[in-house]
Amino acid sequence: MKAIVHIGLKPGVLDPQGRAIARSLGDLGFSEVTGARQGKVIELDMKGNDAEKAKASVIEMCEKLLANTVIESYKIDIEA
Amino acid sequence: MKAIVHIGLKPGVLDPQGRAIARSLGDLGFSEVTGARQGKVIELDMKGNDAEKAKASVIEMCEKLLANTVIESYKIDIEA
Amino acid sequence: MKTAVIQFPAANCDRDAITALEKITGRESTLIWHRETEIPEDIDFVVVPGGFSYGDYLRCGAMAARSPIVNDLVKKANGGLPVAGFCNGFQILCEAGLLPGALLRNKNLKFVCKPQKLKITNGNTRFTSAYGGQQEVVYPVAHHDGNYYADDATLSKLEKSGRVLFKYVDNPNGSARDIAGICNEDGNVFGMMPHPERAVDPLHGGTDGINFFKSILESR
Amino acid sequence: MSQDIEITKDIVAEHGLSKDEYKIILDRLGRTPNMNELGIFSVMWSEHCSYKSSRRHLGKFLTTGERVIQGPGENAGVIDIDDGDAIIFKMESHNHPSYIEPYQGAATGVGGIMRDVFTMGARPIALMNALRFGEPSHPKTKSLVDGVVAGIGGYGNCVGVPTVGGETNFHKGYNGNILVNAMCVGLASTDNVFYSAAKGVGNPIFYVGSKTGRDGIHGATMASAEFDDDSDEKRPTVQVGDPFTEKLLIEACLELMATDAIIAIQDMGAAGLTSSSVEMADKGGVGIELNLDHVPQREDGMTPYEMMLSESQERMLMVIQPGKEQLAFDIFEKWELDVAHIGETTDTGRLTLHHGGKIVCDIPVAPLADDAPNYDRPHKPTPKRDVLDAAHIALTDVNAGLLAMMGSPDIASRRWIWEQYDRHVMADTVDSSQSGGDAAIVRIHGKNKAVAITTDVTPRYCYADPYEGGKQCVVETWRNLTCVGADPIAITDCLNFGNPERPDIMGQFVGCIEGMNEACNALNYPVVSGNVSLYNETNGVAIPPTPAVGGVGLIPDLDFHTNLAGAKDGDVLLMIGENTGWIGSSLYLREVAHREEGAPPPVNLKMEKLHGDYVRRLIRNRRVNAVHDCSDGGLLVTATEMALAADIGFDLQRPAGSCAISGWYFGEDQARYLLAVDENSVNPILSTAEGLGIPATKIGTFGGKRLTSNDGLSLDIGKVRSTYEAWFPKLMES
Ligand SMILES: Nc1ncnc2c1ncn2[C@@H]1O[C@H](COP(=O)(O)OP(=O)(O)O)[C@@H](O)[C@H]1O
Ligand SMILES: [Mg+2]
């Protein structure tokens, strides 16, 4: 089983990386881009095949380690 | 329109971040995790509403800037 | 020898590079702004400095490698202009395609700043000839993403063709085959994570870097 | 939030204003404030901005001196180091944010203190940090250390200013409340220093740097409130640092400062746009009118209240010379920074804000500053402790004692930390952490002179006796500067204490300040800037009193500097100063005997001055190969640090008839230095000392690779080194 964890900055938190990316794309002539945000994805290989249980334990991992919940929010997808 | 770009290390490229995550999760007692990889997601806000055209231009952005194709591969999703 | 240092927003070792170049050449070095489109014709040697161009956002060196001045740098380097990139400058040269491979996050994920022992693995190049057979040098390192990566074929090719100029003694960052510094096929473009420009002053980081610059000066 | 909301008692209380404070506001306005106005009063009158508990005591400090160009009152202090060069420096705390989010808290702390320095026209040339964490075994300590160190490095390394030194201690007193104090030192020309007083009428006000977001709203009040178990819920006030923008801002500001376009400039620190505009207006005796519609905004729909209270980082406010607007626009646009003309100076003496075609705030500036509360809080002196006789503290095995000390949290090598800091960028760090000097040395670019920088405080002394501890922290910085051959010039400080509303805490605060000031006066060593951080408590438990001091000195000629690493084979080890074996409140007592008691060592300021001046003279006469002052851990730890730095052993000889053995090796008598000197320098040094009335004793010789003594000390230097180096990595990798 795989768990895909998407981690992004909470709305309102400054995203200097995203801003710099948007500006750089503009400089390269991609004027259709009006904004950018950068986040992380963590892909976990997991034993077992109980999706419910996996999700619960990934939530715990996010709270304990993977996400910095002070400024980041996360979303979990479990793939068989 | 939004473009979501997933960027990950190509298979075979050492992923120090992913490895450290797997190890830390193990240390925290999450023994069900057997491996981890870390990637990036870049979310772009885009003008226009032609998904085809948007995708073509995001591919160009990836080749030119967003991904380093020596070590990274990418995947693009366009959302209306 | 007329030298120039490229100035990117927040590539903060431009002063280190200029200090070293001026000390060794005895001449003023030119700072070239990243938005310029041309490197002046009379420049004999260009340094792409270390630091954190664009904050190292997205990927180290990625944004700088797409700036107008680097377009011209690539052209002139392909025409034979000697170029050296240190630290972030090495990352930029790789990102710009002037050197093969890429720099990943250090193996232990930590920034590392310390004097680093290096083995000179090819003393017969325009960047190392003045060492006169000296085998080891110490240059400071200071980086977060210095873990050199290239596929095996590329690594073997680099080694076989004498394009690996320096290797780490006690690899500080996980670089493949302990590679610290490499050059391009024509031998005029060089990049490394350690800082020879911070090793030209006994009070600062030692003096082992002086012969690096002397090599370039003498090989002209 | 709209200004039409009715102000209730609860709203006033939520803003941290007391009933009496609110009454003054009503009085001065002659009406009820609207929300925006209330918010502005609340942050301006917070402890953080108004110094309401500390102001009257800070006023006692010696703040002037021959070399002082600007003392406290501006963004940072300014001293003259000859040849038209000025050094601008300050230290500041970011304790609460760093506890909540260690990486970003520490990073923005570094960013903030750098802005205070370059606001005044200086290029930052060095960063320092003073850190206190809880017990190593506390479950939070490791991740806090990890995050704070990464944050300091992450910001400083990226901006490209070397982090050249600092200090790190561990104690259970900081379990729930760590301290992150950052110091920045910058270099300017004496004839191009910038101040914050706005001047003139109708002069344009420019906003530059990052856009304003909703981050950090009420950060200033957060930094002035005690923690409780709900603190985790107050998280969204944390700000994210953007070192890339900071670097651009430094370059852009310095470029504009090289022209004559700036009349006044002020960074937006705590309480952002509010405190910067009010301070500029107040200091210049003018009014300020701003149109908030022109403030660059990161998010849609921001209210005036949010804009005025936001603590978004990397922003500056300046008053521009009329006619120079275009020049300013051009420079900031070159550096790709947001820049906006948001208002004008006026002659009304009022702060007037427009938003959406309406006036949303119109208050007189003077009361915000002049009528800010200024409390004389009751203070109770800390009871004196008994003197502890070293004869009652056993030391049976010197080897075990030394190893225990060298591997203890407060002595063990900090390599794990400083290898994460770029210490060399800018090409002028002379003596980095690598060689373990008492003070960092940073050369003035292109010249053969340097500044020496150090930070110190010994909280266990301050806790035991605030007055003696206050003296000691100032004196220790002075000694450390002396050890590298510098003339000490001035200090900055960061006064970290608990809740000032408690008389015992206030007693610590007052005691420390009075002790510090006594030392400043005796050493002619003024305070030129500083910061106060109060309410460092969790669930009613206060941190130990921690007045961190940052000292700056001048090495006029780099050919004459020293550090602790120069001892050579055959050198004689001399001790300057007297060893009475003072064991009370010593580190040995705490780490090995597990007792935290006894009066701390008294500080004799006359002796300090005499001994230090003599050591400096010996350095200038090239009489010494290495110098190290005795502090934490006493004589044996000091000598061992010299041995490790030079990779050379020593043999110590405790003279017959000296004090008790535990005290001789590990006691912490003040005013002491250890010197490594050539054999043939010994007699001249001893006889001159005798003439000056300075105790000086030969206590050993350097040589070989073992540490030995006539009390059975016998250790291989490699063994000592591995104990010393292993502690930190082991903690962090466990
Ligand atoms: N403990 C102190 N010792 C000396 N000066 C202090 C102290 N605390 C604050 N100051 C001075 O008070 C002024 C205001 O400090 P602060 O609010 O920290 O400034 P800023 O808003 O620039 O960060 C500064 O000039 C500072 O140097
Ligand atoms: Mg300030």
Side-chain angles (χ1 to χ4, degrees):
Chain A
M1 230 173 7
K2 259 192 201 164
I4 319 276
V5 186
H6 293 258
I7 299 166
L9 289 170
K10 288 186 179 167
V13 177
L14 176 73
D15 177 10
Q17 308 234 32
R19 232 187 33 177
I21 291 169
R23 199 157 64 189
S24 212
L25 287 172
D27 286 351
L28 289 173
F30 296 103
S31 55
E32 64 272 42
V33 176
T34 57
R37 281 163 303 283
Q38 177 167 329
K40 277 191 290 221
V41 206
I42 297 167
E43 209 182 290
L44 302 172
D45 302 324
M46 303 192 53
K47 282 189 260 181
N49 44 22
D50 180 342
E52 289 282 296
K53 215 177 106 197
K55 181 142 184 183
S57 97
V58 177
I59 289 178
E60 209 189 319
M61 294 177 206
C62 285
E63 294 287 332
K64 276 205 181 148
L65 178 77
L66 301 180
N68 177 352
T69 50
V70 179
I71 49 174
E72 293 172 330
S73 57
Y74 57 88
K75 208 186 92 208
I76 299 166
D77 289 323
I78 305 284
E79 290 176 6
Chain B
M1 233 173 2
K2 262 192 199 166
I4 319 278
V5 186
H6 293 257
I7 301 167
L9 289 170
K10 287 183 175 169
V13 177
L14 175 84
D15 174 8
Q17 270 127 327
R19 249 191 15 187
I21 289 170
R23 213 187 55 182
S24 300
L25 288 174
D27 289 350
L28 288 174
F30 295 103
S31 56
E32 63 272 41
V33 175
T34 58
R37 281 162 304 283
Q38 178 169 324
K40 279 189 281 232
V41 203
I42 296 167
E43 207 181 292
L44 301 172
D45 301 324
M46 303 192 54
K47 281 189 258 183
N49 44 23
D50 180 340
E52 291 282 295
K53 214 177 105 195
K55 181 141 185 184
S57 98
V58 177
I59 290 178
E60 209 189 320
M61 294 177 208
C62 285
E63 294 288 330
K64 274 205 182 148
L65 177 72
L66 299 181
N68 178 347
T69 51
V70 174
I71 46 172
E72 295 171 328
S73 58
Y74 57 88
K75 208 186 91 203
I76 299 167
D77 289 322
I78 305 284
E79 290 179 3
Chain C
M1 186 170 73
K2 276 202 81 171
T3 62
V5 174
I6 299 184
Q7 189 182 24
F8 299 102
N12 50 42
C13 305
D14 39 8
R15 168 156 141 185
D16 306 36
I18 287 202
T19 304
L21 288 170
E22 292 186 345
K23 179 165 181 161
I24 285 154
T25 63
R27 297 182 60 168
E28 209 176 308
S29 182
T30 313
L31 206 52
I32 307 179
W33 184 237
H34 68 122
R35 291 226 178 258
E36 300 284 319
T37 50
E38 230 170 300
I39 294 165
E41 286 300 333
D42 60 343
I43 297 294
D44 304 303
F45 174 51
V46 176
V47 168
V48 187
F52 285 74
S53 58
Y54 296 90
D56 269 0
Y57 298 158
L58 183 63
R59 263 187 338 273
C60 305
M63 299 191 200
R66 275 81 189 166
S67 60
I69 196 67
V70 173
N71 274 333
D72 191 55
L73 182 74
V74 170
K75 229 184 288 161
K76 293 214 162 75
N78 285 333
L81 176 69
V83 176
F86 311 129
C87 202
N88 192 223
F90 182 26
Q91 296 160 343
I92 293 169
L93 294 177
C94 289
E95 280 280 346
L98 281 171
L99 292 171
L103 283 310
L104 302 172
R105 177 75 13 135
N106 292 348
K107 198 170 161 196
N108 71 354
L109 306 184
K110 298 231 176 301
F111 189 95
V112 58
C113 174
K114 64 175 185 184
Q116 174 65 46
K117 212 185 267 180
L118 303 167
K119 206 159 48 192
I120 300 177
T121 43
N122 185 349
N124 286 321
T125 72
R126 83 162 75 215
F127 301 101
T128 52
S129 57
Y131 281 104
Q134 189 181 333
Q135 309 272 306
E136 272 188 1
V137 289
V138 174
Y139 297 166
V141 291
H143 59 251
H144 209 166
D145 299 79
N147 183 348
Y148 184 70
Y149 168 86
D151 58 46
D152 269 328
T154 307
L155 293 173
S156 298
K157 198 167 113 195
L158 284 172
E159 289 199 301
K160 278 203 197 101
S161 52
R163 286 167 58 193
V164 176
L165 276 48
F166 295 88
K167 283 198 170 191
Y168 296 111
V169 177
D170 251 338
N171 193 337
N173 52 32
S175 287
R177 304 193 193 179
D178 299 328
I179 289 173
I182 57 169
C183 67
N184 64 348
E185 248 173 69
D186 292 339
N188 65 311
V189 179
F190 171 80
M192 80 185 317
M193 289 314 295
H195 287 274
E197 85 282 19
R198 292 187 185 179
V200 297
D201 177 345
L203 281 180
H204 182 48
T207 52
D208 276 4
I210 291 175
N211 279 337
F212 178 89
F213 295 97
K214 284 222 168 117
S215 304
I216 301 160
L217 197 62
E218 286 163 9
S219 71
R220 253 199 340 130
Chain D
M1 223 171 288
S2 138
Q3 64 265 19
D4 306 329
I5 289 178
E6 197 197 332
I7 307 297
T8 63
K9 255 191 355 218
D10 288 348
I11 292 182
V12 171
E14 270 167 34
H15 280 77
L17 290 162
S18 72
K19 241 193 272 160
D20 290 343
E21 290 168 355
Y22 185 61
K23 226 175 107 226
I24 301 176
I25 298 176
L26 292 177
D27 219 50
R28 295 300 179 266
L29 293 185
R31 62 173 166 84
T32 316
N34 65 33
M35 266 309 271
N36 303 325
E37 294 164 341
L38 185 76
I40 289 171
F41 270 101
S42 120
V43 291
M44 286 309 296
W45 287 6
S46 69
E47 187 68 58
H48 192 89
C49 292
S50 73
Y51 291 87
K52 57 189 166 193
S53 305
S54 61
R55 208 150 80 229
R56 61 182 60 236
H57 301 289
L58 297 179
K60 299 171 190 164
F61 276 140
L62 170 71
T63 59
T64 54
E66 240 169 79
R67 288 186 179 273
V68 177
I69 296 175
Q70 174 67 54
E74 280 288 335
N75 285 302
V78 185
I79 57 172
D80 188 327
I81 57 156
D82 304 330
D83 317 311
D85 297 323
I87 289 292
I88 301 187
F89 65 101
K90 186 172 182 234
M91 177 154 46
E92 201 160 67
S93 69
H94 233 210
N95 305 336
H96 290 71
S98 301
Y99 184 76
I100 295 173
E101 211 308 272
Y103 185 98
Q104 294 297 346
T108 51
V110 171
I113 192 61
M114 260 194 278
R115 283 192 294 285
D116 272 334
V117 165
F118 71 82
T119 302
M120 297 199 71
R123 175 173 288 282
I125 59 170
L127 292 166
M128 302 277 291
N129 54 89
L131 311 177
R132 320 279 151 185
F133 297 103
E135 292 168 289
S137 59
H138 188 272
K140 275 199 131 150
T141 298
K142 209 177 95 174
S143 67
L144 288 168
V145 173
D146 202 54
V148 165
V149 171
I152 289 172
Y155 205 99
N157 297 348
C158 184
V159 171
V161 176
T163 302
V164 295
E167 52 171 348
T168 310
N169 291 161
F170 297 86
H171 189 265
K172 61 174 185 294
Y174 305 100
N175 276 353
N177 210 310
I178 62 170
L179 302 185
V180 175
N181 296 171
M183 173 173 169
C184 179
V185 177
L187 174 66
S189 301
T190 48
D191 58 6
N192 208 32
V193 175
F194 289 80
Y195 298 96
S196 57
K199 287 197 194 82
V201 172
N203 290 335
I205 297 176
F206 271 49
Y207 168 117
V208 309
S210 284
K211 290 184 177 29
T212 296
R214 289 196 172 95
D215 31 21
I217 292 170
H218 278 306
T221 37
M222 169 175 91
S224 312
E226 263 182 58
F227 269 6
D228 51 46
D229 288 328
D230 296 336
S231 304
D232 287 358
E233 294 311 312
K234 293 182 189 148
R235 282 169 165 182
T237 50
V238 170
Q239 307 127 46
V240 169
D242 179 2
F244 172 49
T245 297
E246 177 100 339
K247 169 70 174 170
L248 302 181
L249 197 55
I250 294 177
E251 297 303 332
C253 287
L254 292 178
E255 193 171 325
L256 188 62
M257 283 164 167
T259 73
D260 54 1
I262 298 178
I263 296 175
I265 173 166
Q266 168 71 41
D267 66 298
M268 294 192 221
L273 200 46
T274 293
S275 70
S276 55
S277 53
V278 169
E279 271 169 39
M280 288 178 95
D282 180 58
K283 284 198 184 127
V286 301
I288 278 187
E289 190 156 347
L290 302 178
N291 186 340
L292 298 179
D293 296 332
H294 297 159
V295 169
Q297 293 158 49
R298 206 167 75 219
E299 295 172 63
D300 293 335
M302 288 192 66
T303 63
Y305 181 91
E306 290 170 330
M307 276 187 257
M308 290 308 287
L309 267 51
S310 161
E311 295 194 346
S312 291
Q313 301 286 296
E314 292 94 17
R315 301 180 300 160
M316 292 275 184
L317 199 64
M318 40 187 94
V319 180
I320 297 288
Q321 198 80 52
K324 302 284 177 173
E325 293 90 340
Q326 197 53 45
L327 176 70
F329 273 118
D330 289 347
I331 289 176
F332 290 115
E333 279 162 10
K334 169 187 165 192
W335 290 98
E336 302 181 16
L337 292 162
D338 274 298
V339 47
H341 177 172
I342 62 167
E344 263 79 34
T345 55
T346 67
D347 60 4
T348 61
R350 299 179 78 80
L351 177 68
T352 311
L353 304 176
H354 300 259
H355 184 253
K358 277 196 244 157
I359 291 183
V360 294
C361 163
D362 186 13
I363 51 178
V365 168
L368 285 169
D370 299 349
D371 296 338
N374 181 355
Y375 297 132
D376 191 0
R377 305 241 190 236
H379 45 92
K380 197 176 102 213
T382 303
K384 292 273 180 206
R385 289 186 182 179
D386 291 338
V387 175
L388 185 65
D389 187 344
H392 301 312
I393 302 298
L395 172 63
T396 42
D397 183 349
V398 191
N399 296 315
L402 179 59
L403 289 174
M405 290 298 282
M406 296 314 288
S408 70
D410 282 1
I411 299 280
S413 167
R414 270 78 181 110
R415 179 184 300 275
W416 185 91
I417 295 179
W418 49 253
E419 280 195 346
Q420 296 187 53
Y421 299 151
D422 188 339
R423 310 182 298 284
H424 308 126
V425 61
M426 294 185 88
D428 284 310
T429 308
V430 175
D431 187 3
S432 69
S433 319
Q434 194 74 35
S435 54
D438 281 295
I441 302 177
V442 178
R443 183 170 49 196
I444 303 307
H445 197 61
K447 300 186 181 172
N448 198 40
K449 65 178 184 183
V451 281
I453 315 163
T454 179
T455 63
D456 293 286
V457 57
T458 312
R460 61 177 188 279
Y461 297 167
C462 296
Y463 184 68
D465 183 339
Y467 183 74
E468 288 302 318
K471 286 192 325 198
Q472 197 274 343
C473 56
V474 171
V475 152
E476 189 173 346
T477 65
W478 191 87
R479 278 201 307 255
N480 282 341
L481 298 175
T482 296
C483 283
V484 298
D487 295 315
I489 297 178
I491 63 171
T492 182
D493 65 66
C494 193
L495 307 175
N496 307 276
F497 288 81
N499 180 348
E501 293 160 41
R502 287 170 36 190
D504 54 329
I505 301 291
M506 203 56 208
Q508 295 175 340
F509 186 76
V510 173
C512 283
I513 285 191
E514 287 175 351
M516 290 169 72
N517 190 45
E518 175 94 24
C520 290
N521 276 295
L523 301 170
N524 188 20
Y525 190 38
V527 179
V528 296
S529 61
N531 181 248
V532 177
S533 172
L534 300 174
Y535 296 97
N536 289 288
E537 308 207 354
T538 301
N539 297 332
V541 183
I543 57 159
T546 313
V549 176
V552 174
L554 173 67
I555 301 178
D557 181 346
L558 263 175
D559 295 348
F560 301 87
H561 77 275
T562 41
N563 59 36
L564 55 67
K568 298 190 313 285
D569 218 338
D571 277 1
V572 173
L573 179 55
L574 297 183
M575 177 174 68
I576 302 289
E578 209 177 349
N579 191 352
T580 71
W582 195 284
I583 204 82
S585 285
S586 68
L587 193 62
Y588 175 83
L589 191 67
R590 188 180 93 194
E591 291 299 321
V592 180
H594 305 295
R595 292 164 60 172
E596 296 186 42
E597 61 190 88
V603 178
N604 179 328
L605 294 165
K606 269 212 197 87
M607 232 152 75
E608 291 285 356
K609 176 99 172 62
L610 191 63
H611 298 185
D613 288 346
Y614 183 49
V615 168
R616 209 173 310 107
R617 175 171 139 198
L618 293 174
I619 295 171
R620 301 266 162 96
N621 290 337
R622 294 192 196 283
R623 280 296 192 189
V624 295
N625 299 328
V627 188
H628 193 15
D629 75 311
C630 285
S631 54
D632 280 355
L635 184 158
L636 185 54
V637 166
T638 304
T640 302
E641 286 170 347
M642 294 173 82
L644 289 174
D647 196 26
I648 193 169
F650 60 62
D651 179 56
L652 289 183
Q653 292 296 321
R654 182 166 64 96
S658 49
C659 62
I661 171 168
S662 63
W664 195 80
Y665 283 104
F666 295 113
E668 295 180 0
D669 286 283
Q670 299 293 299
R672 284 190 300 162
Y673 299 79
L674 297 191
L675 314 177
V677 306
D678 289 337
E679 172 86 67
N680 57 17
S681 290
V682 173
N683 286 333
I685 292 177
L686 294 183
S687 64
T688 311
E690 197 179 344
L692 293 168
I694 298 172
T697 334
K698 176 176 164 175
I699 56 167
T701 47
F702 284 101
K705 293 284 177 194
R706 293 188 69 76
L707 311 184
T708 56
S709 82
N710 58 347
D711 288 304
L713 176 67
S714 179
L715 288 169
D716 183 74
I717 192 168
K719 164 94 181 144
V720 178
R721 185 185 304 284
S722 59
T723 304
Y724 174 68
E725 291 290 349
W727 185 82
F728 224 110
K730 200 172 140 216
L731 169 72
M732 298 312 294
E733 280 149 30
S734 66

